Amino acid sequence: MPRSARALEGSAALLAASVLADSAVEHYRGSFENPGMFAPLISSALTLAAGAEGATFGAARARAFRKNSFAMAVAVGAIGAGFHVYDVFRRPGGLSWLNLFYGAPLGAPAALSIAGVLGLCAERLGAGATRLFGLPAGRALAALSSFALAGTVAEAALLHFRGAFHNPFMWIPVTLPPVASGLMAKAALQRPPQPRHPLTRAWLWVTAIAGFVGVGFHAYGVSRAMGGWRNWSQNVVDGPPLPAPPAFSALALSALTALSLLEESGA
């Protein structure tokens, strides 16, 4: 399997891991009142396993398992997005800031679908495809990563606005990743394509690192709640979501793969 395909499999696995941990905590908080709340846990776990297998081995014998797992992730994420939209609208007041703040997060299921799409793209690349969605692979992945980063920024902005940006570091996920999204959109649309993208590549690495560092900031937020980590069973559920920031890292790494494909193909 080509190196770019394995890298994209790894990005899908990392994003699936973020979704798995986040949905497990959030749906535990909701007491799994709807049996369908188990679906994203199962799907994201399969996507994580498929992506990790592809990134590590890239074995042809497991290709059917990977493709089926990624396709399931796309479907489960899309269905979950519908349920989350319904949850927001069924609350008193319908579509309102309060319900967007405290209802089911609209962006979470979309992240699962994106992980599935990344995995399916990796499978196509691994099979020798040079085009995705009717476009050169590099351009298609650059556009996809730009869109996904923008959506993740919107989700982070909503939740950090809910927290009134009380910590200056809460501005990082709404300042660094939007620039990365814009740079990737430029790379996708630019004609003729640039042979190198040093600024974009550096910005994506900073964004990827910021995603991992964000886990530490969220852990600090948990420690500041009543009882701190001694009361972890409540504060991890109610505090800043620990698994959320690495979604930025996964998308930034997928964008780096897109840049590599753009630079290799010159299209």
Side-chain angles (χ1 to χ4, degrees), residues 12 17-18 37 54 94 97 114 125 137-138 148 152 155 160 200 220 222 242 248:
S18 174
M37 295 170 78
W97 283 113
I114 292 295
L125 293 176
T152 308
E155 182 79 3
H160 285 196
T200 304
Y220 173 69
V222 170
L242 295 174
F248 284 112

mmCIF file with all atom_site columns, all heavy atoms in Angstrom, residues 12 17-18 37 54 94 97 114 125 137-138 148 152 155 160 200 220 222 242 248:
data_model
loop_
_atom_site.group_PDB
_atom_site.id
_atom_site.type_symbol
_atom_site.label_atom_id
_atom_site.label_alt_id
_atom_site.label_comp_id
_atom_site.label_asym_id
_atom_site.label_entity_id
_atom_site.label_seq_id
_atom_site.pdbx_PDB_ins_code
_atom_site.Cartn_x
_atom_site.Cartn_y
_atom_site.Cartn_z
_atom_site.occupancy
_atom_site.B_iso_or_equiv
_atom_site.pdbx_formal_charge
_atom_site.auth_seq_id
_atom_site.auth_comp_id
_atom_site.auth_asym_id
_atom_site.auth_atom_id
_atom_site.pdbx_PDB_model_num
ATOM 1   N N   . ALA A 1 12  ? -7.623  8.488  9.662  1.00 0.00 ? 12  ALA A N   1
ATOM 2   C CA  . ALA A 1 12  ? -8.975  7.980  9.901  1.00 0.00 ? 12  ALA A CA  1
ATOM 3   C C   . ALA A 1 12  ? -9.059  7.284  11.253 1.00 0.00 ? 12  ALA A C   1
ATOM 4   O O   . ALA A 1 12  ? -10.048 7.444  11.987 1.00 0.00 ? 12  ALA A O   1
ATOM 5   C CB  . ALA A 1 12  ? -9.384  7.022  8.785  1.00 0.00 ? 12  ALA A CB  1
ATOM 6   N N   . ALA A 1 17  ? -10.815 7.280  16.859 1.00 0.00 ? 17  ALA A N   1
ATOM 7   C CA  . ALA A 1 17  ? -10.523 7.149  18.291 1.00 0.00 ? 17  ALA A CA  1
ATOM 8   C C   . ALA A 1 17  ? -11.102 8.323  19.070 1.00 0.00 ? 17  ALA A C   1
ATOM 9   O O   . ALA A 1 17  ? -11.663 8.155  20.157 1.00 0.00 ? 17  ALA A O   1
ATOM 10  C CB  . ALA A 1 17  ? -9.012  7.049  18.506 1.00 0.00 ? 17  ALA A CB  1
ATOM 11  N N   . SER A 1 18  ? -10.965 9.524  18.507 1.00 0.00 ? 18  SER A N   1
ATOM 12  C CA  . SER A 1 18  ? -11.537 10.716 19.141 1.00 0.00 ? 18  SER A CA  1
ATOM 13  C C   . SER A 1 18  ? -13.051 10.591 19.243 1.00 0.00 ? 18  SER A C   1
ATOM 14  O O   . SER A 1 18  ? -13.646 10.875 20.296 1.00 0.00 ? 18  SER A O   1
ATOM 15  C CB  . SER A 1 18  ? -11.152 11.965 18.336 1.00 0.00 ? 18  SER A CB  1
ATOM 16  O OG  . SER A 1 18  ? -11.789 13.112 18.845 1.00 0.00 ? 18  SER A OG  1
ATOM 17  N N   . MET A 1 37  ? -27.849 4.724  20.562 1.00 0.00 ? 37  MET A N   1
ATOM 18  C CA  . MET A 1 37  ? -26.672 5.441  21.053 1.00 0.00 ? 37  MET A CA  1
ATOM 19  C C   . MET A 1 37  ? -25.449 4.531  21.145 1.00 0.00 ? 37  MET A C   1
ATOM 20  O O   . MET A 1 37  ? -24.329 5.004  21.326 1.00 0.00 ? 37  MET A O   1
ATOM 21  C CB  . MET A 1 37  ? -26.981 6.086  22.405 1.00 0.00 ? 37  MET A CB  1
ATOM 22  C CG  . MET A 1 37  ? -28.046 7.169  22.326 1.00 0.00 ? 37  MET A CG  1
ATOM 23  S SD  . MET A 1 37  ? -28.641 7.749  23.933 1.00 0.00 ? 37  MET A SD  1
ATOM 24  C CE  . MET A 1 37  ? -27.304 8.842  24.421 1.00 0.00 ? 37  MET A CE  1
ATOM 25  N N   . GLY A 1 54  ? -4.888  -0.876 8.546  1.00 0.00 ? 54  GLY A N   1
ATOM 26  C CA  . GLY A 1 54  ? -4.428  -0.389 7.254  1.00 0.00 ? 54  GLY A CA  1
ATOM 27  C C   . GLY A 1 54  ? -3.141  0.402  7.362  1.00 0.00 ? 54  GLY A C   1
ATOM 28  O O   . GLY A 1 54  ? -2.248  0.275  6.520  1.00 0.00 ? 54  GLY A O   1
ATOM 29  N N   . GLY A 1 94  ? -37.082 24.866 20.339 1.00 0.00 ? 94  GLY A N   1
ATOM 30  C CA  . GLY A 1 94  ? -36.556 24.474 19.036 1.00 0.00 ? 94  GLY A CA  1
ATOM 31  C C   . GLY A 1 94  ? -35.128 24.935 18.819 1.00 0.00 ? 94  GLY A C   1
ATOM 32  O O   . GLY A 1 94  ? -34.279 24.833 19.711 1.00 0.00 ? 94  GLY A O   1
ATOM 33  N N   . TRP A 1 97  ? -29.987 29.174 20.805 1.00 0.00 ? 97  TRP A N   1
ATOM 34  C CA  . TRP A 1 97  ? -28.622 29.071 21.316 1.00 0.00 ? 97  TRP A CA  1
ATOM 35  C C   . TRP A 1 97  ? -28.556 28.097 22.486 1.00 0.00 ? 97  TRP A C   1
ATOM 36  O O   . TRP A 1 97  ? -27.621 27.309 22.598 1.00 0.00 ? 97  TRP A O   1
ATOM 37  C CB  . TRP A 1 97  ? -28.117 30.444 21.755 1.00 0.00 ? 97  TRP A CB  1
ATOM 38  C CG  . TRP A 1 97  ? -27.719 31.338 20.641 1.00 0.00 ? 97  TRP A CG  1
ATOM 39  C CD1 . TRP A 1 97  ? -28.319 32.496 20.251 1.00 0.00 ? 97  TRP A CD1 1
ATOM 40  C CD2 . TRP A 1 97  ? -26.622 31.137 19.730 1.00 0.00 ? 97  TRP A CD2 1
ATOM 41  N NE1 . TRP A 1 97  ? -27.679 33.038 19.165 1.00 0.00 ? 97  TRP A NE1 1
ATOM 42  C CE2 . TRP A 1 97  ? -26.632 32.236 18.828 1.00 0.00 ? 97  TRP A CE2 1
ATOM 43  C CE3 . TRP A 1 97  ? -25.643 30.160 19.591 1.00 0.00 ? 97  TRP A CE3 1
ATOM 44  C CZ2 . TRP A 1 97  ? -25.697 32.365 17.809 1.00 0.00 ? 97  TRP A CZ2 1
ATOM 45  C CZ3 . TRP A 1 97  ? -24.704 30.279 18.575 1.00 0.00 ? 97  TRP A CZ3 1
ATOM 46  C CH2 . TRP A 1 97  ? -24.741 31.369 17.699 1.00 0.00 ? 97  TRP A CH2 1
ATOM 47  N N   . ILE A 1 114 ? -16.769 11.637 8.451  1.00 0.00 ? 114 ILE A N   1
ATOM 48  C CA  . ILE A 1 114 ? -15.517 12.091 7.846  1.00 0.00 ? 114 ILE A CA  1
ATOM 49  C C   . ILE A 1 114 ? -14.434 11.029 8.006  1.00 0.00 ? 114 ILE A C   1
ATOM 50  O O   . ILE A 1 114 ? -13.651 10.761 7.078  1.00 0.00 ? 114 ILE A O   1
ATOM 51  C CB  . ILE A 1 114 ? -15.059 13.421 8.469  1.00 0.00 ? 114 ILE A CB  1
ATOM 52  C CG1 . ILE A 1 114 ? -16.016 14.546 8.094  1.00 0.00 ? 114 ILE A CG1 1
ATOM 53  C CG2 . ILE A 1 114 ? -13.647 13.769 8.024  1.00 0.00 ? 114 ILE A CG2 1
ATOM 54  C CD1 . ILE A 1 114 ? -16.053 14.874 6.622  1.00 0.00 ? 114 ILE A CD1 1
ATOM 55  N N   . LEU A 1 125 ? -6.811  4.934  -2.776 1.00 0.00 ? 125 LEU A N   1
ATOM 56  C CA  . LEU A 1 125 ? -5.401  5.219  -3.058 1.00 0.00 ? 125 LEU A CA  1
ATOM 57  C C   . LEU A 1 125 ? -4.570  3.945  -2.991 1.00 0.00 ? 125 LEU A C   1
ATOM 58  O O   . LEU A 1 125 ? -3.664  3.732  -3.801 1.00 0.00 ? 125 LEU A O   1
ATOM 59  C CB  . LEU A 1 125 ? -4.863  6.251  -2.061 1.00 0.00 ? 125 LEU A CB  1
ATOM 60  C CG  . LEU A 1 125 ? -5.434  7.666  -2.152 1.00 0.00 ? 125 LEU A CG  1
ATOM 61  C CD1 . LEU A 1 125 ? -4.864  8.528  -1.034 1.00 0.00 ? 125 LEU A CD1 1
ATOM 62  C CD2 . LEU A 1 125 ? -5.131  8.292  -3.512 1.00 0.00 ? 125 LEU A CD2 1
ATOM 63  N N   . ALA A 1 137 ? -6.558  13.233 -6.855 1.00 0.00 ? 137 ALA A N   1
ATOM 64  C CA  . ALA A 1 137 ? -6.640  12.833 -5.450 1.00 0.00 ? 137 ALA A CA  1
ATOM 65  C C   . ALA A 1 137 ? -6.183  13.933 -4.499 1.00 0.00 ? 137 ALA A C   1
ATOM 66  O O   . ALA A 1 137 ? -6.824  14.185 -3.461 1.00 0.00 ? 137 ALA A O   1
ATOM 67  C CB  . ALA A 1 137 ? -5.819  11.571 -5.230 1.00 0.00 ? 137 ALA A CB  1
ATOM 68  N N   . GLY A 1 138 ? -5.076  14.606 -4.840 1.00 0.00 ? 138 GLY A N   1
ATOM 69  C CA  . GLY A 1 138 ? -4.573  15.656 -3.958 1.00 0.00 ? 138 GLY A CA  1
ATOM 70  C C   . GLY A 1 138 ? -5.564  16.790 -3.792 1.00 0.00 ? 138 GLY A C   1
ATOM 71  O O   . GLY A 1 138 ? -5.800  17.276 -2.675 1.00 0.00 ? 138 GLY A O   1
ATOM 72  N N   . ALA A 1 148 ? -13.669 19.803 6.404  1.00 0.00 ? 148 ALA A N   1
ATOM 73  C CA  . ALA A 1 148 ? -13.763 19.135 7.703  1.00 0.00 ? 148 ALA A CA  1
ATOM 74  C C   . ALA A 1 148 ? -13.172 19.995 8.821  1.00 0.00 ? 148 ALA A C   1
ATOM 75  O O   . ALA A 1 148 ? -13.722 20.053 9.930  1.00 0.00 ? 148 ALA A O   1
ATOM 76  C CB  . ALA A 1 148 ? -13.046 17.786 7.640  1.00 0.00 ? 148 ALA A CB  1
ATOM 77  N N   . THR A 1 152 ? -15.189 21.415 12.153 1.00 0.00 ? 152 THR A N   1
ATOM 78  C CA  . THR A 1 152 ? -14.705 21.167 13.512 1.00 0.00 ? 152 THR A CA  1
ATOM 79  C C   . THR A 1 152 ? -14.488 22.480 14.251 1.00 0.00 ? 152 THR A C   1
ATOM 80  O O   . THR A 1 152 ? -14.739 22.576 15.456 1.00 0.00 ? 152 THR A O   1
ATOM 81  C CB  . THR A 1 152 ? -13.400 20.352 13.467 1.00 0.00 ? 152 THR A CB  1
ATOM 82  O OG1 . THR A 1 152 ? -13.599 19.195 12.655 1.00 0.00 ? 152 THR A OG1 1
ATOM 83  C CG2 . THR A 1 152 ? -12.986 19.906 14.863 1.00 0.00 ? 152 THR A CG2 1
ATOM 84  N N   . GLU A 1 155 ? -17.846 23.684 15.577 1.00 0.00 ? 155 GLU A N   1
ATOM 85  C CA  . GLU A 1 155 ? -18.248 22.965 16.790 1.00 0.00 ? 155 GLU A CA  1
ATOM 86  C C   . GLU A 1 155 ? -17.478 23.485 18.005 1.00 0.00 ? 155 GLU A C   1
ATOM 87  O O   . GLU A 1 155 ? -18.057 23.727 19.067 1.00 0.00 ? 155 GLU A O   1
ATOM 88  C CB  . GLU A 1 155 ? -17.992 21.469 16.612 1.00 0.00 ? 155 GLU A CB  1
ATOM 89  C CG  . GLU A 1 155 ? -18.420 20.613 17.775 1.00 0.00 ? 155 GLU A CG  1
ATOM 90  C CD  . GLU A 1 155 ? -19.917 20.351 17.803 1.00 0.00 ? 155 GLU A CD  1
ATOM 91  O OE1 . GLU A 1 155 ? -20.625 20.797 16.877 1.00 0.00 ? 155 GLU A OE1 1
ATOM 92  O OE2 . GLU A 1 155 ? -20.382 19.718 18.757 1.00 0.00 ? 155 GLU A OE2 1
ATOM 93  N N   . HIS A 1 160 ? -16.890 26.705 23.019 1.00 0.00 ? 160 HIS A N   1
ATOM 94  C CA  . HIS A 1 160 ? -16.043 27.663 23.728 1.00 0.00 ? 160 HIS A CA  1
ATOM 95  C C   . HIS A 1 160 ? -16.780 28.987 23.944 1.00 0.00 ? 160 HIS A C   1
ATOM 96  O O   . HIS A 1 160 ? -16.524 29.688 24.921 1.00 0.00 ? 160 HIS A O   1
ATOM 97  C CB  . HIS A 1 160 ? -14.738 27.880 22.966 1.00 0.00 ? 160 HIS A CB  1
ATOM 98  C CG  . HIS A 1 160 ? -13.785 26.735 23.109 1.00 0.00 ? 160 HIS A CG  1
ATOM 99  N ND1 . HIS A 1 160 ? -12.444 26.836 22.795 1.00 0.00 ? 160 HIS A ND1 1
ATOM 100 C CD2 . HIS A 1 160 ? -13.964 25.467 23.542 1.00 0.00 ? 160 HIS A CD2 1
ATOM 101 C CE1 . HIS A 1 160 ? -11.855 25.677 23.023 1.00 0.00 ? 160 HIS A CE1 1
ATOM 102 N NE2 . HIS A 1 160 ? -12.767 24.836 23.466 1.00 0.00 ? 160 HIS A NE2 1
ATOM 103 N N   . THR A 1 200 ? 1.807   26.435 4.435  1.00 0.00 ? 200 THR A N   1
ATOM 104 C CA  . THR A 1 200 ? 0.660   25.579 4.736  1.00 0.00 ? 200 THR A CA  1
ATOM 105 C C   . THR A 1 200 ? 1.094   24.362 5.535  1.00 0.00 ? 200 THR A C   1
ATOM 106 O O   . THR A 1 200 ? 0.442   23.982 6.518  1.00 0.00 ? 200 THR A O   1
ATOM 107 C CB  . THR A 1 200 ? -0.029  25.135 3.436  1.00 0.00 ? 200 THR A CB  1
ATOM 108 O OG1 . THR A 1 200 ? -0.400  26.284 2.687  1.00 0.00 ? 200 THR A OG1 1
ATOM 109 C CG2 . THR A 1 200 ? -1.272  24.305 3.737  1.00 0.00 ? 200 THR A CG2 1
ATOM 110 N N   . TYR A 1 220 ? -6.769  20.033 32.428 1.00 0.00 ? 220 TYR A N   1
ATOM 111 C CA  . TYR A 1 220 ? -6.676  21.097 33.438 1.00 0.00 ? 220 TYR A CA  1
ATOM 112 C C   . TYR A 1 220 ? -8.063  21.609 33.787 1.00 0.00 ? 220 TYR A C   1
ATOM 113 O O   . TYR A 1 220 ? -8.364  21.881 34.958 1.00 0.00 ? 220 TYR A O   1
ATOM 114 C CB  . TYR A 1 220 ? -5.797  22.229 32.911 1.00 0.00 ? 220 TYR A CB  1
ATOM 115 C CG  . TYR A 1 220 ? -5.774  23.455 33.798 1.00 0.00 ? 220 TYR A CG  1
ATOM 116 C CD1 . TYR A 1 220 ? -5.156  23.421 35.051 1.00 0.00 ? 220 TYR A CD1 1
ATOM 117 C CD2 . TYR A 1 220 ? -6.368  24.643 33.386 1.00 0.00 ? 220 TYR A CD2 1
ATOM 118 C CE1 . TYR A 1 220 ? -5.135  24.542 35.869 1.00 0.00 ? 220 TYR A CE1 1
ATOM 119 C CE2 . TYR A 1 220 ? -6.349  25.767 34.206 1.00 0.00 ? 220 TYR A CE2 1
ATOM 120 C CZ  . TYR A 1 220 ? -5.736  25.718 35.435 1.00 0.00 ? 220 TYR A CZ  1
ATOM 121 O OH  . TYR A 1 220 ? -5.726  26.823 36.241 1.00 0.00 ? 220 TYR A OH  1
ATOM 122 N N   . VAL A 1 222 ? -10.797 19.902 33.745 1.00 0.00 ? 222 VAL A N   1
ATOM 123 C CA  . VAL A 1 222 ? -11.411 18.904 34.620 1.00 0.00 ? 222 VAL A CA  1
ATOM 124 C C   . VAL A 1 222 ? -10.897 19.065 36.051 1.00 0.00 ? 222 VAL A C   1
ATOM 125 O O   . VAL A 1 222 ? -11.656 18.977 37.018 1.00 0.00 ? 222 VAL A O   1
ATOM 126 C CB  . VAL A 1 222 ? -11.114 17.476 34.101 1.00 0.00 ? 222 VAL A CB  1
ATOM 127 C CG1 . VAL A 1 222 ? -11.534 16.421 35.119 1.00 0.00 ? 222 VAL A CG1 1
ATOM 128 C CG2 . VAL A 1 222 ? -11.821 17.235 32.772 1.00 0.00 ? 222 VAL A CG2 1
ATOM 129 N N   . LEU A 1 242 ? -12.268 15.542 26.962 1.00 0.00 ? 242 LEU A N   1
ATOM 130 C CA  . LEU A 1 242 ? -10.858 15.215 26.750 1.00 0.00 ? 242 LEU A CA  1
ATOM 131 C C   . LEU A 1 242 ? -10.559 14.689 25.343 1.00 0.00 ? 242 LEU A C   1
ATOM 132 O O   . LEU A 1 242 ? -9.520  15.005 24.777 1.00 0.00 ? 242 LEU A O   1
ATOM 133 C CB  . LEU A 1 242 ? -10.412 14.174 27.790 1.00 0.00 ? 242 LEU A CB  1
ATOM 134 C CG  . LEU A 1 242 ? -10.418 14.621 29.252 1.00 0.00 ? 242 LEU A CG  1
ATOM 135 C CD1 . LEU A 1 242 ? -10.093 13.441 30.157 1.00 0.00 ? 242 LEU A CD1 1
ATOM 136 C CD2 . LEU A 1 242 ? -9.411  15.736 29.474 1.00 0.00 ? 242 LEU A CD2 1
ATOM 137 N N   . PHE A 1 248 ? -8.726  17.762 15.643 1.00 0.00 ? 248 PHE A N   1
ATOM 138 C CA  . PHE A 1 248 ? -7.962  18.727 14.854 1.00 0.00 ? 248 PHE A CA  1
ATOM 139 C C   . PHE A 1 248 ? -6.659  18.104 14.358 1.00 0.00 ? 248 PHE A C   1
ATOM 140 O O   . PHE A 1 248 ? -6.239  18.334 13.226 1.00 0.00 ? 248 PHE A O   1
ATOM 141 C CB  . PHE A 1 248 ? -7.656  19.972 15.680 1.00 0.00 ? 248 PHE A CB  1
ATOM 142 C CG  . PHE A 1 248 ? -8.822  20.896 15.853 1.00 0.00 ? 248 PHE A CG  1
ATOM 143 C CD1 . PHE A 1 248 ? -9.410  21.078 17.088 1.00 0.00 ? 248 PHE A CD1 1
ATOM 144 C CD2 . PHE A 1 248 ? -9.347  21.598 14.776 1.00 0.00 ? 248 PHE A CD2 1
ATOM 145 C CE1 . PHE A 1 248 ? -10.487 21.930 17.253 1.00 0.00 ? 248 PHE A CE1 1
ATOM 146 C CE2 . PHE A 1 248 ? -10.428 22.449 14.921 1.00 0.00 ? 248 PHE A CE2 1
ATOM 147 C CZ  . PHE A 1 248 ? -11.001 22.624 16.165 1.00 0.00 ? 248 PHE A CZ  1
#
